[in-house]
Amino acid sequence: MLGSFGLTSDGTTVPLSVDSRRVVAYLAVHRRPQPRAGLAADLWPGVPAEAARRLLAEALTGIDVPGLLVGDPADEAAPVALADEVEVDLSDAMLLVRAFNGGGRLTERPAVDLLSEDILPAWTSPWIAVERERFRQLRLAALEEVSLKLTAAGLFADAVQIAEIAVAAAPSRESARRALVEALLAKGDVVEAVAQYDAFQELLRTSVGPESAGLEGLFPFAGAWPMRPSMGGFRRPVQRSAVVLPGLRAARPATPGAPRRLVSGGSVPGR
């Protein structure tokens, strides 16, 4: 279910028709027994009820995998569900979400592969879009929590890598970017933390809307932050050279009008 659909039995891939795949996928997301009328309506929205029930009956008949389903496919009154013994990666991922969002500490980097993919990203059915977004929010929150716990445990490199997964999945999500900046600062990579801050502000300014001030408190700067030239009510976008950090200063560009860069130390080479 995560990344792409696949059904295996005893290590062998089981081919299914398009409609049969849709039924199995729906039951993999909704593990409780499903009434057939509601199942048919969700899988074939806009199709007359009788026709949708016929399509469902044909799809169930095409699922010839012993032990996969609970309920007689020929019994139109019986609800349908996957058997409890059927393993679903989405179910395993939800167990991870609940475990990571608990109050326990981490002493090593956990496996998060199951939280790196969305539910069937290529599928466009309305019912899957709702479940995909729901799981996406849960997995991103879990990744952020893992990153924060790894930072608290002093495993800064691991914390950075986990936070990067969340940022890659949702670049405009402030909580993901915050976890990454915190991990970078704890690791001592101040320049990259500033770069992440600047990239986030530029992304918000150009694609989402107003810039966010939520990350500024993470930087222990002396003086006002951020240093932005202003004219009236208009605030021009900040250049990276506008960030003032202890031990860092903006180098003057060799060409007038070129962007400045951050350098360490007391002098600029060649100046």
Side-chain angles (χ1 to χ4, degrees), residues 23-24 27-32 67-70 80-86 88:
V23 171
V24 173
L27 297 177
V29 173
H30 307 87
R31 294 302 299 261
R32 295 181 179 180
L68 180 64
L69 300 179
V70 174
V80 186
L82 293 184
D84 292 339
E85 296 76 17
V86 177
V88 178

Side-chain angles (χ1 to χ4, degrees), residues 41-86:
D42 280 352
L43 290 178
W44 290 277
V47 175
E50 185 60 32
R53 285 195 293 270
R54 286 198 303 270
L55 290 171
L56 175 60
E58 294 172 1
L60 289 171
T61 302
I63 304 172
D64 187 17
V65 182
L68 180 64
L69 300 179
V70 174
D72 183 0
D75 184 358
E76 295 186 359
V80 186
L82 293 184
D84 292 339
E85 296 76 17
V86 177

Side-chain angles (χ1 to χ4, degrees), residues 16-191:
L16 292 175
S17 67
V18 172
D19 284 346
S20 294
R21 285 201 302 269
R22 296 172 66 195
V23 171
V24 173
Y26 190 100
L27 297 177
V29 173
H30 307 87
R31 294 302 299 261
R32 295 181 179 180
Q34 300 296 311
R36 299 198 183 199
L39 178 58
D42 280 352
L43 290 178
W44 290 277
V47 175
E50 185 60 32
R53 285 195 293 270
R54 286 198 303 270
L55 290 171
L56 175 60
E58 294 172 1
L60 289 171
T61 302
I63 304 172
D64 187 17
V65 182
L68 180 64
L69 300 179
V70 174
D72 183 0
D75 184 358
E76 295 186 359
V80 186
L82 293 184
D84 292 339
E85 296 76 17
V86 177
E87 297 180 357
V88 178
D89 54 1
L90 176 59
S91 299
D92 294 338
M94 290 302 299
L95 291 177
L96 285 181
V97 166
R98 288 190 284 270
F100 291 154
N101 287 329
R105 300 177 59 188
L106 292 177
T107 58
E108 61 182 5
R109 173 177 174 165
V112 296
D113 292 348
L114 289 174
L115 302 182
S116 301
E117 297 282 354
D118 284 327
I119 300 175
L120 303 177
W123 289 32
T124 58
S125 301
W127 73 267
I128 199 67
V130 173
E131 298 299 333
R132 181 189 302 123
E133 183 58 25
R134 173 177 173 272
F135 174 69
R136 182 173 181 268
Q137 295 300 322
L138 291 173
R139 75 177 182 89
L140 290 176
L143 288 170
E144 294 160 8
E145 184 66 20
V146 169
S147 178
L148 294 174
K149 288 181 177 181
L150 290 174
T151 297
L155 302 174
F156 306 131
D158 291 333
V160 168
Q161 292 174 1
I162 298 297
E164 286 176 339
I165 298 174
V167 169
S172 61
R173 184 179 170 98
E174 184 170 311
S175 54
R177 195 78 63 153
R178 172 181 290 272
L180 178 55
V181 170
E182 288 189 5
L184 287 167
L185 289 173
K187 185 183 175 185
D189 196 346
V190 180
V191 173

